[in-house]
C-alpha cells in the first residue's frame, strides 16, 4: 500500500495570505457596488456593467500588489539586518583572527581551543557545561592578566610552576623557604617528596640537559633543619641532576626581612608564593594566601638583583 502523500503547510503563510485576501475583498466589494449601474459614480444606464467589474478587479489587484510589496519590503529589511549582522560577526571574527595572528600565541592552538569548545554540546549534563564555561573563563582571565603584567591566584597553583619550568629556555633562579616547601612542622621532605615535587625535579633535569642554568638557594631558619638527614638528601637530589645549590641561614643576614619565596624564570617572570601558617587550636596548619606571577620589568629586576645578593651570601651544602 502506497504511503499517503503529506503536504506541509507553513502555518505563518496561511494567516498572512488569508489576511491579504480579506483586505483585498474589503476594498474590492465596496468598489463594485459604487461603480454599479445604480452607483453614484461611474454606473449609468449608458455605462456597461463590465466597466464596474474591470475597475473593481483593477483596484483589488492594486491593493493586493501593494500588500505584497509591503511584505516583500519587510522581508528585505529583515534579510538586510540578518546579512548586516552576519557580516558584522564575520568582520569581528576576521578582526579577532587578525589579532591572534599578530600576537605571540600560535594560531593553530587558538583554533584548536575554539574547535574543542564546540564539542561541549547542550546534550551534556548541566554540571559539565558549567565546568567547561568556568575553565574557559579562567583561561581568559589568565591571558588578560598576563597582558596587564601581573597574575594572581588565590591559594597555590602548581600547574603554573610546572608549565613555566617546562618552557624555560635560559635560566631558573629560585629562593626556596622551608615554610613554603615544608611548612611549620619538622622537616620531612615536604613538597619535594610529593608527586608535583618529583615532576618539578624531572622537568628541571630535562631543562638542564638542554643547557638551562638552574640555581636554588634553600633558606633554612634553624640549625636542626640544616643538619637533618632528610634535608641533606633533598640537596643531594638537586645536585645530582645538575642544580646548583646553596644554603642560606639567618646568620648570613643582618635582617631576615625581604626574604620570601620566589622563582625567576628566564629573568623575565617571577613566580611568588605567599604562605600563611595560622593556628587552628593547637595544630599549626600550612596554607597559602596566593600565588603571584610578576611580569613588570622593574619588579622582576628587583628579584634578579635580590637573588644575586643572596647567592653571594649563601654557602654550598656540606
Amino acid at each position: 500500500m502506497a504511503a499517503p502523500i503529506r503536504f506541509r503547510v507553513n502555518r505563518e503563510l496561511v494567516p498572512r495570505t488569508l489576511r491579504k485576501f480579506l483586505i483585498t475583498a474589503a476594498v474590492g466589494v465596496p468598489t463594485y457596488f459604487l461603480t454599479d449601474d445604480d452607483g453614484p459614480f461611474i454606473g449609468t444606464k449608458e455605462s456597461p456593467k463590465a466597466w464596474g467589474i474591470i475597475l473593481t478587479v483593477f483596484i483589488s489587484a492594486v491593493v493586493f500588489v501593494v500588500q505584497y510589496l509591503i511584505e516583500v519590503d519587510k522581508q528585505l529589511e529583515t534579510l538586510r539586518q540578518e546579512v548586516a549582522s552576519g557580516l558584522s560577526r564575520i568582520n569581528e571574527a576576521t578582526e579577532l583572527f587578525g589579532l591572534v595572528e599578530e600576537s605571540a600565541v600560535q594560531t593553530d592552538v587558538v583554533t584548536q581551543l575554539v574547535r574543542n569548545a564546540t564539542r561541549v554540546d547542550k546534550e551534556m549534563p548541566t554540571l559539565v557545561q558549567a565546568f567547561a564555561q568556568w575553565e574557559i573563563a579562567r583561561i581568559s582571565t589568565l591571558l588578560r592578566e598576563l597582558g596587564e603584567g601581573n597574575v594572581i591566584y588565590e591559594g597555590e597553583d602548581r600547574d603554573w610552576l610546572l608549565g613555566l619550568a617546562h618552557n624555560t629556555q635560559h635560566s631558573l633562579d629560585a629562593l626556596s623557604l622551608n615554610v613554603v616547601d615544608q611548612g611549620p612542622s619538622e622537616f620531612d621532605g615536604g613538597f619535594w617528596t610529593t608527586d608535583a615535587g618529583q615532576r618539578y625535579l624531572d622537568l628541571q633535569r630535562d631543562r638542564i640537559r638542554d643547557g638551562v642554568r638552574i640555581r636554588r638557594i634553600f633558606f633554612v631558619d634553624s640549625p636542626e633543619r640544616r643538619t637533618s638527614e632528610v634535608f641533606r638528601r633533598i640537596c643531594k637530589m638537586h645536585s645530582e641532576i645538575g642544580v646548583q645549590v646553596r644554603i642560606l641561614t639567618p646568620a648570613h643576614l643582618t635582617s631576615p626581612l625581604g626574604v620570601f619565596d620566589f622563582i625567576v624564570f628566564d629573568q623575565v617572570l617571577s613566580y611568588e608564593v605567599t604562605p600563611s601558617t595560622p593556628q587552628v587550636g593547637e595544630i599549626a596548619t600550612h596554607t597559602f594566601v596566593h600565588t603571584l606571577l610578576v611580569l613588570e620589568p622593574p619588579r622582576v629586576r628587583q628579584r634578579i638583583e635580590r637573588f644575586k645578593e643572596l647567592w653571594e651570601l649563601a654557602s654550598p651544602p656540606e
Side-chain angles (χ1 to χ4, degrees):
M1 181 177 180
I5 300 176
R6 297 180 180 179
F7 296 95
R8 291 186 177 181
V9 180
N10 189 327
R11 295 182 178 180
E12 295 183 357
L13 179 61
V14 173
R16 292 202 304 265
T17 304
L18 180 60
R19 184 171 61 251
K20 289 186 182 68
F21 279 112
L22 292 176
I23 294 175
T24 301
V27 176
V29 172
T31 301
Y32 174 77
F33 288 107
L34 290 174
T35 56
D36 194 11
D37 291 343
D38 298 329
F41 298 110
I42 298 178
T44 63
K45 293 181 179 181
E46 292 79 12
S47 299
K49 191 174 184 179
W51 284 106
I53 296 175
I54 293 173
L55 185 59
T56 300
V57 171
F58 175 76
I59 293 176
S60 298
V62 170
V63 172
F64 187 85
V65 170
V66 168
Q67 294 180 81
Y68 177 77
L69 291 177
I70 291 174
E71 183 174 346
V72 168
D73 183 67
K74 290 180 179 179
Q75 292 177 350
L76 289 175
E77 178 62 22
T78 301
L79 179 61
R80 185 193 67 79
Q81 293 177 358
E82 292 178 353
V83 170
S85 176
L87 291 175
S88 176
R89 289 194 294 269
I90 292 174
N91 290 336
E92 183 179 2
T94 303
E95 180 183 358
L96 289 174
F97 191 79
L99 292 174
V100 171
E101 288 185 323
E102 293 176 0
S103 70
V105 180
Q106 295 181 4
T107 305
D108 57 342
V109 175
V110 178
T111 304
Q112 185 179 7
L113 172 63
V114 176
R115 183 177 290 109
N116 290 337
T118 62
R119 298 171 64 88
V120 182
D121 55 47
K122 296 181 180 179
E123 300 300 323
M124 289 184 172
T126 303
L127 174 62
V128 176
Q129 297 180 41
F131 177 67
Q133 293 279 5
W134 185 83
E135 282 294 314
I136 292 174
R138 186 176 65 87
I139 294 174
S140 176
T141 301
L142 171 63
L143 296 176
R144 174 178 57 81
E145 292 181 346
L146 282 174
E148 294 173 351
N150 291 317
V151 184
I152 190 169
Y153 180 87
E154 299 300 329
E156 185 182 22
D157 194 311
R158 300 292 194 188
D159 290 334
W160 289 356
L161 178 65
L162 299 177
L164 290 168
H166 176 75
N167 291 282
T168 299
Q169 300 297 318
H170 306 292
S171 64
L172 188 160
D173 293 330
L175 173 61
S176 300
L177 275 64
N178 59 266
V179 293
V180 174
D181 291 344
Q182 175 58 35
S185 62
E186 291 300 321
F187 197 93
D188 59 4
F191 168 70
W192 302 109
T193 61
T194 65
D195 176 68
Q198 291 298 308
R199 291 170 60 193
Y200 186 36
L201 281 173
D202 289 340
L203 288 172
Q204 292 177 83
R205 178 187 295 108
D206 295 338
R207 295 289 79 212
I208 291 171
R209 289 174 179 172
D210 292 336
V212 175
R213 184 198 67 190
I214 298 181
R215 299 183 295 180
R216 173 161 286 105
I217 301 173
F218 285 106
F219 180 77
V220 183
D221 58 0
S222 67
E224 292 77 12
R225 289 180 185 269
R226 179 169 184 173
T227 57
S228 165
E229 183 61 31
V230 177
F231 178 68
R232 292 176 183 272
R233 188 163 60 249
I234 296 299
C235 291
K236 185 178 180 181
M237 289 168 54
H238 284 76
S239 299
E240 286 178 345
I241 66 173
V243 177
Q244 302 176 40
V245 176
R246 290 193 179 183
I247 301 173
L248 187 69
T249 65
H252 292 104
L253 305 173
T254 56
S255 172
L257 297 177
V259 178
F260 55 93
D261 197 279
F262 67 87
I263 309 170
V264 178
F265 293 92
D266 283 344
Q267 296 193 341
V268 295
L269 181 148
S270 178
Y271 173 96
E272 303 173 8
V273 177
T274 302
S276 174
T277 55
Q279 296 288 331
V280 179
E282 297 180 354
I283 302 175
T285 60
H286 185 211
T287 59
F288 295 90
V289 178
H290 60 250
T291 303
L292 182 65
L293 300 184
V294 179
L295 290 87
E296 296 175 351
R299 295 179 62 182
V300 175
R301 174 55 56 183
Q302 290 177 358
R303 307 297 187 266
I304 295 173
E305 295 300 326
R306 183 57 173 165
F307 184 86
K308 288 180 180 179
E309 295 174 4
L310 297 177
W311 183 259
E312 294 300 324
L313 295 173
S315 60
E318 299 175 357

